[in-house]
Amino acid sequence: MEISIRATGHRGAGANAVSCGPTGAPVIRFAGERVDDPQDGRRKLVRVTPIGADVLVRSAEGFDRLRAERVRALGADRLRALESDLRVMAPADAFRLDAAA
């Protein structure tokens, strides 16, 4: 699956938030760059730029902070049980991330 990065119009981590979509969508230069695939001239590859990597790291840190807050509020055992219950209710393969909107 090929992906690109496009602006969502939301603000986050000090820059436009990004989301994945088909490679036909405009690529935001600060987060990703399109390059030719050396193995297939019909394809483009999307590489994350240093700024895009920084956005991803900041997002991961934010999710880590949220999870830590939930551990403090519920306790580690209860949070693990809740996450397990949610996986039963919404299995990982229930929603395809590459499906058209």
Side-chain angles (χ1 to χ4, degrees):
M1 179 179 92
E2 295 180 56
I3 62 167
S4 67
I5 302 171
R6 64 175 181 236
T8 62
H10 295 87
R11 304 297 285 173
N16 279 337
V18 296
S19 65
C20 295
T23 53
V27 175
I28 301 300
R29 298 289 178 225
F30 77 89
E33 61 182 350
R34 290 177 67 172
V35 296
D36 293 330
D37 183 342
Q39 296 178 344
D40 186 345
R42 299 168 294 176
R43 291 178 18 149
K44 296 284 186 185
L45 300 175
V46 178
R47 293 188 185 143
V48 177
T49 64
I51 293 173
D54 182 55
V55 169
L56 293 172
V57 167
R58 289 178 189 219
S59 295
E61 291 169 350
F63 283 114
D64 289 344
R65 284 191 302 274
L66 288 171
R67 190 169 196 292
E69 289 174 16
R70 291 177 178 137
V71 166
R72 283 191 296 278
L74 299 173
D77 291 339
R78 178 65 196 117
L79 183 58
R80 275 193 295 277
L82 177 61
E83 290 169 340
S84 177
D85 292 343
L86 290 172
R87 281 187 204 97
V88 170
M89 299 301 295
D93 60 353
F95 302 100
R96 289 185 45 176
L97 297 178
D98 62 345

